[in-house]
């Protein structure tokens, strides 16, 4: 019998608000395990509190252990999500970037996609939304 | 008061919060994440973060609206932040008020913003009182049966 090793999924959450990071952390854990109760849920979550830090994290991880998914907020201090997405793409990084914002207007979505994001989801992040994102990018 | 009576009181409180539209399904999602994830104190952590954030943001907005020349973009950024925090905790009524508030910011209406601030402050204080009662009841229930968590 062949035993397949479960691949560790590396996720970068870019979000300046602590409350949103706390909720996203729990929802991602639940989405990865199905019920949220498994400690060994097969993912590593890094967090960045603004776009500038996100770009640094992505650059540092690129050669050693690149991210499998980036969840990107829009409005943040220092560097917003649009600019961070543009800079990450300019580095040649092809990791799926999913924009996360409470503004779901078509113009907001288009601006994010134009900057290089692959998808857009509205806040708050939930277990279901994250489950769909993981499935869409074949990470579940 | 017996634990069962406290639990009934908590159930009735939560039910009234949903019925009055103070909280929505996102708040249920948080309770589910806590129960399924075996992470006691998760809801309490999120609620406390929300209350601290909202209190600070409302004070910042009030201070901005007192200025002789109001920076509406800054006010809007704070309201956007409050809307995001409200959405994360499931504070439906506060979130809806923030959506209306942002329209006044875009219209650059000081009067409208002051009116919206009064409403959002009232909505928040009402919700915070309920959240505080909820957390107190949970603590009392926990004291009866520490294994409950």
């Amino acid at each position: 019998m062949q035993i397949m090793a479960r691949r560790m999924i590396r996720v970068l959450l870019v979000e300046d608000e602590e409350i949103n990071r706390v909720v996203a952390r729990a929802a991602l854990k639940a989405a990865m395990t199905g019920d949220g109760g498994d400690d060994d849920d097969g993912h590593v979550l890094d967090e960045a509190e603004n776009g500038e830090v996100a770009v640094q994290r992505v650059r540092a991880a690129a050669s050693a252990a690149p991210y499998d998914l980036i969840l990107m907020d829009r409005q943040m201090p220092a560097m917003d999500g649009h600019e961070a997405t543009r800079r990450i793409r300019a580095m040649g990084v092809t990791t799926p970037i999913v924009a996360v914002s409470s503004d779901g207007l078509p113009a907001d979505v288009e601006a994010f996609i134009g900057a290089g994001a692959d998808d857009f989801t509205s806040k708050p992040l939930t277990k279901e939304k994250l489950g769909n994102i993981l499935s869409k990018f074949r990470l579940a | 008061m017996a634990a069962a009576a406290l639990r009934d009181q908590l159930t009735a409180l939560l039910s009234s919060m949903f019925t009055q539209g103070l909280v929505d399904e996102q708040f249920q999602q948080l309770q589910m994440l806590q129960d399924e994830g075996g992470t006691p104190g998760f809801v309490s952590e999120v609620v406390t973060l929300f209350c601290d954030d909202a209190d600070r943001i409302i004070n910042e907005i009030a201070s901005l609206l007192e200025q002789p020349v109001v920076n509406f973009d800054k006010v809007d950024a704070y309201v956007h932040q409050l809307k995001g925090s409200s959405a994360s905790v499931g504070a439906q009524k506060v979130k809806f008020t923030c959506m209306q508030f942002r329209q006044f910011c875009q219209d650059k209406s000081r009067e409208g913003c002051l009116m919206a601030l009064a409403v959002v402050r009232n909505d928040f204080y009402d919700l915070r009182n309920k959240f505080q009662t909820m957390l107190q009841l949970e603590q009392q229930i926990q004291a009866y049966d520490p294994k409950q968590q």
Side-chain angles (χ1 to χ4, degrees):
Chain A
M1 192 172 86
Q2 193 179 13
I3 298 172
M4 299 270 290
R6 195 177 176 189
R7 191 166 78 91
M8 189 65 79
I9 303 297
R10 293 175 56 81
V11 180
L12 177 64
L13 172 67
V14 190
E15 167 63 61
D16 61 324
E17 292 299 321
E18 190 185 358
I19 185 170
N20 297 333
R21 290 201 301 269
V22 168
V23 172
R25 213 178 285 154
L28 182 66
K29 188 171 187 227
M32 292 297 293
T33 59
D35 62 2
D38 184 358
D39 281 340
D40 181 19
D41 51 22
H43 82 281
V44 173
L45 177 64
D46 281 346
E47 297 174 15
E49 65 273 21
N50 63 56
E52 202 171 85
V53 175
V55 173
Q56 288 165 7
R57 293 261 154 84
V58 171
R59 186 177 290 123
S63 54
Y67 291 109
D68 298 291
L69 176 67
I70 298 170
L71 300 166
M72 182 73 76
D73 183 27
R74 181 178 67 86
Q75 188 175 300
M76 293 178 287
M79 187 189 292
D80 70 17
H82 294 165
E83 183 59 23
T85 301
R86 266 191 291 274
R87 292 197 188 194
I88 290 168
R89 289 299 183 231
M91 285 157 51
V93 173
T94 56
T95 301
I97 298 177
V98 177
V100 185
S101 175
S102 53
D103 291 328
L105 299 170
D108 297 313
V109 180
E110 280 166 27
F112 243 127
I113 300 297
D118 297 276
D119 203 356
F120 182 96
T121 192
S122 59
K123 280 186 185 176
L125 283 172
T126 62
K127 176 184 167 183
E128 286 71 26
K129 285 179 191 170
L130 284 165
N132 290 338
I133 290 166
L134 292 169
S135 297
K136 180 172 180 176
F137 295 104
R138 301 177 182 210
L139 298 169
Chain B
M1 195 183 287
L6 287 169
R7 275 193 210 99
D8 287 347
Q9 211 178 316
L10 179 60
T11 306
L13 173 69
L14 292 172
S15 174
S16 75
M17 287 167 75
F18 281 105
T19 308
Q20 291 168 29
L22 292 178
V23 291
D24 59 19
E25 68 278 3
Q26 173 63 15
F27 187 68
Q28 273 175 319
Q29 164 99 198
L30 298 182
Q31 292 175 308
M32 189 198 72
L33 288 172
Q34 173 171 285
D35 296 343
E36 291 182 357
T39 46
F42 172 68
V43 172
S44 164
E45 182 188 6
V46 177
V47 162
T48 304
L49 279 171
F50 166 71
C51 290
D52 291 349
D53 274 357
D55 204 27
R56 176 183 54 80
I57 293 168
I58 286 170
N59 287 333
E60 295 280 4
I61 294 170
S63 163
L64 284 170
L65 290 174
E66 279 171 10
Q67 301 299 313
V69 178
V70 176
N71 182 338
F72 287 101
D73 288 340
K74 214 166 172 183
V75 174
D76 186 52
Y78 276 120
V79 178
H80 176 79
Q81 204 179 325
L82 181 57
K83 185 180 149 216
S85 293
S86 308
S88 278
V89 77
Q92 181 174 244
K93 207 168 176 185
V94 174
K95 184 182 78 177
F96 286 159
T97 305
C98 285
M99 289 159 79
Q100 292 162 346
F101 200 151
R102 292 196 75 189
Q103 189 56 55
F104 289 120
C105 293
Q106 278 148 29
D107 296 344
K108 302 199 184 304
S109 161
R110 183 201 289 261
E111 211 170 290
C113 284
L114 284 169
M115 193 178 69
L117 175 64
V119 176
V120 86
R121 187 183 261 146
N122 192 51
D123 290 347
F124 167 61
Y125 286 168
D126 186 20
L127 181 61
R128 185 173 64 180
N129 284 339
K130 300 260 169 41
F131 274 152
Q132 282 168 347
T133 307
M134 178 194 83
L135 295 178
Q136 282 164 7
L137 283 168
E138 283 178 349
Q139 278 175 359
Q140 288 168 5
I141 292 166
Q142 165 71 6
Y144 271 102
D145 183 7
K147 282 182 289 184
Q148 268 287 312
Q149 280 220 336

